[in-house]
Amino acid sequence: MKRNKPKYHQIIDAAVVAIAENGYHQAQVAKIAKQAGVADGTIYLYFKNKEDILISLFQEKMGSFVEKIQQVLAGKTTAAEKLLLLVENHFAMLSEDRHLAVVTQLELRQSNKELRLKINEVLKGYLQLIDDVLKEGVEKGEFKASLNLLLARQMIFGTIDETVTTWVMNEQKYDLTALAPEVGDMLLNGFSIR
Amino acid sequence: MKRNKPKYHQIIDAAVVAIAENGYHQAQVAKIAKQAGVADGTIYLYFKNKEDILISLFQEKMGSFVEKIQQVLAGKTTAAEKLLLLVENHFAMLSEDRHLAVVTQLELRQSNKELRLKINEVLKGYLQLIDDVLKEGVEKGEFKASLNLLLARQMIFGTIDETVTTWVMNEQKYDLTALAPEVGDMLLNGFSIR
Amino acid sequence: MKRNKPKYHQIIDAAVVAIAENGYHQAQVAKIAKQAGVADGTIYLYFKNKEDILISLFQEKMGSFVEKIQQVLAGKTTAAEKLLLLVENHFAMLSEDRHLAVVTQLELRQSNKELRLKINEVLKGYLQLIDDVLKEGVEKGEFKASLNLLLARQMIFGTIDETVTTWVMNEQKYDLTALAPEVGDMLLNGFSIR
Amino acid sequence: MKRNKPKYHQIIDAAVVAIAENGYHQAQVAKIAKQAGVADGTIYLYFKNKEDILISLFQEKMGSFVEKIQQVLAGKTTAAEKLLLLVENHFAMLSEDRHLAVVTQLELRQSNKELRLKINEVLKGYLQLIDDVLKEGVEKGEFKASLNLLLARQMIFGTIDETVTTWVMNEQKYDLTALAPEVGDMLLNGFSIR
DNA sequence: AATGAATGAGATTTCATTCAT
DNA sequence: AATGAATGAAATCTCATTCAT
């Protein structure tokens, strides 16, 4: 299993740095190899092709994130609390690795449609997690019974994503994590006064 | 003024079709020219370079959209109504031109950072419009006084954008415009029961 | 006869200016037309193609130069005097029209081999004139009977040409005409002390 | 160091042949690569761009020529002898490589001004060598004390260059090297009888 | 005679991937 | 397992020339 060898992760981390520092289109395989301290050809002992590096990158980072979130949400009782924690942890994860934030929010979006479809495939685990929280909220009577779950999930993900992207485009100048409560409140209660 | 000559728009429309059908990276200038029914060189009588076609495309389409929205919102009295109309019209615009929807939601995002920065410049007019609706809602007492306007705007735009993108990725199989009321309601009132 | 219409010369003079100011490869037909104050297409009513402009340019300028030199040399009695006058007038002609100097010494040399062969054709009248002076010098006993006329002509032309080119490359900073006597003396007597 | 790898010289020699046989503008990188027996891309492992091939070509050929001449002149005692050897070796070098003669005398002159400025930079070493011979001649009393060194150098270089160019344009039909003594004599003693 | 919009051929360079060592 | 030199396909843009008006 390539996944367990040190160079596998070495190359993925090098890709994150190379892409964050040079931009998607300027992060040639040669640059990633140099950053990883291996020869160009070595890359191909661990990855099928360049696209495979990027998908693996996303899988590794997002996969461990989904696992972490699941643990965090495990003991919590209300859907509202879970939603807030989800937003908070999403923001925290990207705040902690600023290179990764640039890569996922800006650079990887420049990849072609095909790659983005595969990335969406990876995202499904995360979206499922959101779906579960929403379903639980409806079942427990916390959320409106009439809630369109698919739309609600798109609202959650769209809001989180746009918030993070804006933060990255503003060069990560402010504290992203501090925004989580406000975002959570808006998702739960909307803009209107009651 | 190039902008008033018929070939200018002819080429922009050809670009939308060529990009939607072939994908961003496979929409070579030669293909756009062929689709427009002009010679390759003719493109360069109307546009500085390929990037200029794409920026102009975005400006023309988004520019006229912002104008149209402004007219639609003009006579309306409540911020809530304006917000709903905004979502509705955004969905309607892209429902009406499915090629354009593919181009803006999927293909144009593959452009390099520089082009995307210029596109963001164009978007500012639209974001300003959203800001105005939000400000009005707060001033009139419709929306919470504590509302973080920047975050609220990101929530609106992020939700709309994610909803449209999901619809496009699902090959536009359902009626996007029909979703507007539900989206509007979620933005105004959130998920929680009252 | 095109040659007698005003636009013919207007275009040639525009070509000299356009080439001197923009360089050979940046002097597009469109620029020459603009400089001449005519439409691009008009050029082709007076010249077969772009090359034809350049050959005509050379013919007009060099043709009138050969005529002028012939008049100047007409009354003179010694070959030595004629040689000096030839150098002097060559230097003077290019000193008087600095645009023309740049064009003939630097820019026109970038033309392709074919054009340069045609330019050499035009030069033949001038080279013949040099040959005549040399022949006269030998016949009259002024110059060595053993003189290789062809080589001597190459020495004269090569020396003049290199001297002018160096002057142009030094941005015409010094008085070229003033160098004529020294050049004449070196051609007649060489470097060696007697 | 690229300069020491065999492919570096292989490509330069291929460029000489390709340019001599096809002409400057028809010697595309693809043709040079084919002539060198390498892939197009390989060229760019050894040269920054096409211009870099041409500059390097000139540097290699002229550089080794200057070195060779310096060795040849080393033991000689009179400036006159040195001058003759210089002409002789210059003629010999180009006689020995007829492709190179075509390239330096005809084809490379079509390059743009920028490239020619760089070529002139390379030429400076050679011109310096001529200057040294002239200075020595004056100091030793062989040459006139009144000699304008700059002009004399232009006469030497101009004469050699014009002689070689004429020979190349005449398709190298006669023995160029045989002309060296006559050229040397004309430079030293001029045309006039004594 | 004059215009100028339209044409379309053609070449440099990059970079993911391979494979002999 | 690791290397890195070599490969070669592919696309933007320029500009001399034409021709309908």
Side-chain angles (χ1 to χ4, degrees):
Chain A
M1 198 52 185
K2 308 272 183 193
R3 211 147 304 206
N4 300 323
K5 302 203 181 168
K7 279 195 181 156
Y8 176 81
H9 294 283
Q10 195 173 322
I11 291 167
I12 284 186
D13 289 338
V16 174
V17 175
I19 294 173
E21 290 186 347
N22 301 284
Y24 181 78
H25 289 292
Q26 279 309 301
Q28 297 90 344
V29 172
K31 259 185 200 148
I32 296 174
K34 193 169 189 183
Q35 172 75 31
V38 302
D40 297 13
T42 305
I43 300 269
Y44 291 86
L45 299 174
Y46 294 89
F47 299 90
K48 220 169 57 239
N49 49 36
K50 188 181 181 181
E51 187 175 88
D52 190 26
I53 309 176
L54 305 175
I55 296 170
S56 304
L57 181 166
F58 207 80
Q59 277 174 337
E60 293 292 326
K61 300 300 181 185
M62 192 44 88
S64 63
F65 174 58
V66 171
E67 272 174 39
K68 189 191 160 190
I69 281 277
Q70 280 172 327
Q71 288 169 5
V72 168
L73 303 193
K76 306 306 175 276
T77 47
T78 71
E81 190 184 11
K82 287 185 175 178
L83 184 57
L84 178 60
L85 282 168
L86 190 137
V87 174
E88 218 165 61
N89 277 276
H90 192 137
F91 286 179
M93 165 184 69
L94 292 169
S95 290
E96 280 159 19
D97 189 342
R98 299 171 160 239
H99 275 154
L100 184 61
V102 172
V103 171
T104 60
Q105 302 307 120
L106 300 184
E107 301 301 342
L108 233 46
R109 318 245 159 156
Q110 299 177 51
S111 58
N112 57 46
K113 229 188 332 187
E114 208 180 339
L115 176 52
R116 279 190 355 263
L117 284 174
K118 287 183 186 164
I119 285 178
N120 278 338
E121 216 46 48
V122 179
L123 263 183
K124 279 194 178 157
Y126 185 50
L127 299 180
Q128 182 59 50
L129 216 146
I130 299 179
D131 283 346
D132 292 345
V133 172
L134 285 167
K135 217 174 296 175
E136 185 187 333
V138 170
E139 281 164 7
K140 285 189 173 163
E142 274 183 84
F143 296 166
K144 294 170 189 163
S146 63
L147 205 61
N148 181 328
L149 292 183
L150 183 60
L151 269 190
R153 181 235 280 170
Q154 286 164 31
M155 178 157 146
I156 295 170
F157 188 79
T159 300
I160 293 177
D161 193 58
E162 180 70 16
T163 308
V164 178
T165 299
T166 302
W167 170 74
V168 171
M169 298 221 295
N170 281 313
E171 284 159 350
Q172 319 185 341
K173 279 199 284 251
Y174 46 85
D175 180 0
L176 179 63
T177 319
L179 300 177
E182 280 180 294
V183 169
D185 178 62
M186 286 198 302
L187 288 169
L188 292 173
N189 304 310
F191 306 149
S192 298
I193 56 166
R194 305 190 153 238
Chain B
M1 199 52 186
K2 309 268 181 198
R3 211 145 305 205
N4 299 324
K5 300 197 182 172
K7 278 194 183 153
Y8 176 82
H9 294 283
Q10 194 174 325
I11 291 167
I12 284 187
D13 291 337
V16 173
V17 176
I19 294 173
E21 291 186 347
N22 300 284
Y24 181 77
H25 288 293
Q26 278 309 300
Q28 298 91 341
V29 171
K31 262 183 197 148
I32 296 174
K34 194 169 188 182
Q35 173 74 32
V38 301
D40 296 15
T42 305
I43 300 269
Y44 292 88
L45 297 177
Y46 294 89
F47 300 91
K48 225 172 45 240
N49 49 37
K50 188 179 179 182
E51 187 177 86
D52 190 28
I53 308 177
L54 306 174
I55 295 170
S56 304
L57 181 166
F58 205 80
Q59 278 174 336
E60 293 291 326
K61 301 300 182 184
M62 191 44 89
S64 63
F65 174 58
V66 171
E67 272 174 39
K68 189 190 159 190
I69 282 276
Q70 280 172 326
Q71 287 171 4
V72 169
L73 303 193
K76 306 306 174 276
T77 46
T78 71
E81 190 184 10
K82 286 184 175 179
L83 184 57
L84 177 61
L85 282 168
L86 191 138
V87 174
E88 217 164 61
N89 277 276
H90 192 138
F91 285 179
M93 164 183 70
L94 292 169
S95 289
E96 279 158 20
D97 189 342
R98 303 177 153 234
H99 277 151
L100 183 61
V102 172
V103 170
T104 60
Q105 301 307 119
L106 300 184
E107 301 300 344
L108 231 46
R109 318 238 162 161
Q110 299 175 51
S111 58
N112 56 46
K113 238 190 313 190
E114 204 181 343
L115 175 53
R116 265 159 49 234
L117 281 175
K118 287 182 185 165
I119 285 178
N120 278 341
E121 214 47 46
V122 179
L123 263 184
K124 278 193 179 158
Y126 186 50
L127 300 180
Q128 182 59 49
L129 216 144
I130 299 180
D131 283 346
D132 291 343
V133 172
L134 286 167
K135 217 173 295 176
E136 185 187 335
V138 170
E139 281 165 6
K140 285 189 175 164
E142 278 183 80
F143 296 165
K144 294 170 188 163
S146 63
L147 206 61
N148 181 327
L149 292 183
L150 184 59
L151 270 189
R153 182 235 280 170
Q154 286 164 31
M155 178 158 147
I156 295 171
F157 189 80
T159 300
I160 293 176
D161 194 58
E162 180 70 16
T163 307
V164 178
T165 298
T166 302
W167 170 75
V168 171
M169 297 223 295
N170 281 313
E171 285 159 349
Q172 318 184 341
K173 280 198 288 246
Y174 45 85
D175 180 359
L176 178 63
T177 319
L179 301 177
E182 281 180 293
V183 169
D185 179 62
M186 286 198 302
L187 289 169
L188 292 173
N189 304 308
F191 307 148
S192 298
I193 56 166
R194 310 193 152 234
Chain C
M1 199 52 185
K2 309 273 185 192
R3 213 146 303 206
N4 299 324
K5 302 202 181 169
K7 279 192 183 159
Y8 176 81
H9 294 283
Q10 196 173 322
I11 291 167
I12 284 187
D13 290 337
V16 173
V17 175
I19 294 173
E21 290 186 348
N22 300 284
Y24 180 78
H25 289 293
Q26 279 309 300
Q28 297 90 346
V29 172
K31 259 184 199 149
I32 296 174
K34 194 169 187 183
Q35 173 76 32
V38 301
D40 296 13
T42 304
I43 300 267
Y44 291 86
L45 299 175
Y46 294 89
F47 299 91
K48 219 167 61 235
N49 49 36
K50 189 180 179 180
E51 188 175 89
D52 189 27
I53 308 176
L54 306 175
I55 295 170
S56 304
L57 182 166
F58 207 80
Q59 277 174 338
E60 293 292 326
K61 301 300 181 186
M62 191 44 89
S64 63
F65 174 59
V66 171
E67 272 174 39
K68 188 190 161 193
I69 281 275
Q70 279 171 327
Q71 287 169 6
V72 169
L73 303 193
K76 306 305 175 271
T77 47
T78 71
E81 189 183 11
K82 287 184 175 180
L83 184 57
L84 177 60
L85 282 168
L86 190 138
V87 174
E88 217 164 60
N89 277 276
H90 192 137
F91 285 178
M93 165 183 69
L94 292 169
S95 290
E96 280 158 20
D97 188 344
R98 301 175 155 234
H99 275 154
L100 184 61
V102 172
V103 171
T104 60
Q105 301 306 122
L106 300 184
E107 302 301 343
L108 233 46
R109 318 246 159 154
Q110 298 176 52
S111 58
N112 57 47
K113 228 187 332 186
E114 207 179 342
L115 175 53
R116 279 188 358 261
L117 283 175
K118 288 184 185 163
I119 285 177
N120 278 338
E121 215 48 46
V122 179
L123 264 183
K124 278 194 178 155
Y126 185 52
L127 299 180
Q128 183 58 51
L129 216 146
I130 300 180
D131 282 347
D132 291 345
V133 172
L134 285 167
K135 217 173 294 176
E136 185 187 334
V138 170
E139 282 165 3
K140 284 191 177 162
E142 276 184 81
F143 296 166
K144 294 172 188 161
S146 64
L147 205 61
N148 181 329
L149 291 183
L150 183 60
L151 269 189
R153 181 234 280 168
Q154 287 163 29
M155 178 157 146
I156 295 170
F157 189 80
T159 300
I160 293 178
D161 193 58
E162 181 70 14
T163 307
V164 178
T165 297
T166 303
W167 170 74
V168 171
M169 297 222 295
N170 281 314
E171 286 159 347
Q172 320 184 340
K173 280 199 286 249
Y174 45 85
D175 181 0
L176 178 63
T177 319
L179 301 177
E182 280 181 293
V183 169
D185 178 61
M186 286 198 302
L187 288 169
L188 292 173
N189 305 310
F191 307 148
S192 297
I193 56 166
R194 310 198 149 232
Chain D
M1 199 53 187
K2 309 269 181 197
R3 212 145 305 204
N4 300 323
K5 300 197 181 174
K7 278 195 182 150
Y8 175 83
H9 295 283
Q10 194 174 322
I11 291 167
I12 284 186
D13 290 337
V16 174
V17 176
I19 294 173
E21 290 186 349
N22 300 284
Y24 181 78
H25 288 294
Q26 278 309 300
Q28 297 91 341
V29 171
K31 263 185 196 145
I32 296 174
K34 193 169 187 183
Q35 173 73 33
V38 301
D40 296 14
T42 304
I43 300 268
Y44 292 86
L45 298 176
Y46 294 88
F47 300 92
K48 228 174 40 246
N49 48 38
K50 189 179 178 181
E51 185 176 88
D52 190 28
I53 308 177
L54 305 175
I55 295 170
S56 304
L57 182 165
F58 204 80
Q59 278 174 337
E60 292 292 326
K61 301 301 182 184
M62 190 44 90
S64 63
F65 174 58
V66 170
E67 273 175 39
K68 191 193 159 189
I69 281 276
Q70 278 171 328
Q71 287 170 5
V72 168
L73 303 194
K76 307 306 174 273
T77 45
T78 72
E81 189 182 13
K82 286 184 175 181
L83 184 57
L84 177 60
L85 282 168
L86 190 138
V87 174
E88 215 165 63
N89 277 277
H90 193 138
F91 285 178
M93 164 183 72
L94 292 168
S95 290
E96 279 159 20
D97 188 343
R98 301 175 156 236
H99 277 151
L100 183 61
V102 173
V103 171
T104 59
Q105 301 307 121
L106 300 185
E107 301 300 344
L108 232 47
R109 318 240 161 160
Q110 300 176 52
S111 58
N112 56 47
K113 237 190 312 190
E114 206 181 342
L115 175 52
R116 264 158 49 234
L117 281 175
K118 287 182 186 165
I119 285 178
N120 277 341
E121 215 45 49
V122 179
L123 262 184
K124 279 193 178 156
Y126 185 50
L127 299 180
Q128 183 58 51
L129 217 145
I130 299 180
D131 284 346
D132 291 344
V133 172
L134 285 167
K135 219 174 294 177
E136 185 187 334
V138 170
E139 281 166 5
K140 285 190 175 162
E142 277 183 80
F143 297 165
K144 295 172 188 161
S146 64
L147 206 60
N148 181 328
L149 291 184
L150 183 60
L151 269 189
R153 182 234 281 169
Q154 287 163 30
M155 179 157 146
I156 295 170
F157 189 79
T159 300
I160 293 177
D161 193 58
E162 180 69 17
T163 308
V164 178
T165 298
T166 302
W167 170 75
V168 171
M169 297 223 295
N170 281 313
E171 285 159 347
Q172 319 184 340
K173 280 198 287 249
Y174 45 87
D175 180 0
L176 179 63
T177 319
L179 301 177
E182 282 180 291
V183 169
D185 178 62
M186 287 197 301
L187 288 169
L188 291 173
N189 304 310
F191 306 149
S192 298
I193 57 166
R194 305 187 158 241

